[in-house]
Amino acid sequence: MSQYRFKQSFSDDSSLSDKLFDLMEVIFPGISSLAECARKLGASWETASTPFIRFHDHIAITHVGVLKIPMQIMGQRLTVGGVHGVATRAEYRRRGYYREVMEEVLGYCDRLYETLVLTTPQPEFYLPFGFRVVEEHIFKVKCYPTSSTYSFRILDFANIK
C-alpha cells in the first residue's frame, strides 16, 4: 500500500480518468473537451499529472493535481511542482476533505520539489497552506517570423537565438 491515501495512478485504474473528469466537468465546465484536444496534441492530462483524489462511494469528490514542470530560473535549471485542477464538489465543501488532500499533496511535493507554483484567480484559498501571492507581469513584443509560414518551433535551451 502506498504511503499516500489519496495519490492515484491512471495506469493502475483504467476508470480513474472518467471518475476524475466527472468531477472536473462539474467544477470547470468544458474542461473535458480541452483535455481531449490536449490528448490529440500528445499532451494528455493522464501522462502529465499525478492525481490526488478523495472518493466517497466511488465518486471523486475532491482532487488536487501535481505537475512536474522543468524551468530555468535566473540561469539555473530546476524542476518545480505545479499544483493544478483543485476541485471539490459543492455538496462536500466545508468538511475538511480539500484540506486533507492538500496536506498530503504538500507532503508529497516537499520530498520532490524545491518550490511549487499555482495559478489561481482565488489565492485566498491557498494562503493557509503557505502559498504567497507573487505579482505577475505581462508584456508583449512584436514577432517577425523568419520564414514565410507560421509554425510552431521547439524551445531549445541550448539555442537561445
Side-chain angles (χ1 to χ4, degrees):
M1 182 172 152
S2 169
Q3 65 180 352
Y4 302 106
R5 290 176 50 203
F6 304 116
K7 183 177 179 236
Q8 306 290 315
S9 169
F10 290 110
S11 60
D12 291 348
D13 180 353
S14 60
S15 69
L16 186 61
S17 186
D18 291 337
K19 291 174 185 175
L20 172 60
F21 278 98
D22 284 346
L23 165 63
M24 299 307 287
E25 194 62 39
V26 168
I27 306 302
F28 305 106
I31 197 164
S32 295
S33 60
L34 292 174
E36 184 57 33
C37 288
R39 275 186 205 98
K40 290 176 182 175
L41 293 171
S44 75
W45 184 301
E46 294 81 1
T47 57
S49 179
T50 300
F52 288 77
I53 306 171
R54 189 177 207 297
F55 287 94
H56 181 74
D57 293 334
H58 304 290
I59 296 170
I61 61 169
T62 299
H63 168 267
V64 178
V66 178
L67 301 168
K68 181 178 180 178
I69 306 172
M71 294 184 131
Q72 186 156 348
I73 301 174
M74 297 184 70
Q76 180 183 4
R77 290 184 192 192
L78 48 120
T79 302
V80 303
V83 174
H84 78 107
V86 179
T88 300
R89 290 184 188 272
E91 62 270 28
Y92 290 95
R93 292 180 185 157
R94 312 225 33 96
R95 298 183 189 185
Y97 298 138
Y98 156 68
R99 176 172 289 285
E100 266 184 314
V101 174
M102 182 59 95
E103 286 174 355
E104 184 170 298
V105 164
L106 293 175
Y108 170 81
C109 290
D110 275 348
R111 291 176 188 85
L112 297 174
Y113 306 112
E114 193 171 319
T115 192
L116 295 175
V117 295
L118 170 86
T119 302
T120 179
Q122 299 168 311
E124 65 275 8
F125 293 157
Y126 307 95
L127 296 175
F129 296 100
F131 286 91
R132 62 187 174 90
V133 176
V134 176
E135 187 178 344
E136 290 184 287
H137 299 276
I138 298 173
F139 64 93
K140 295 179 183 179
V141 296
K142 289 193 182 238
C143 179
Y144 301 100
T146 57
S147 69
S148 61
T149 61
Y150 292 92
S151 63
F152 292 105
R153 66 183 175 100
I154 295 174
L155 291 178
D156 182 356
F157 288 116
N159 181 5
I160 60 172
K161 292 181 182 183

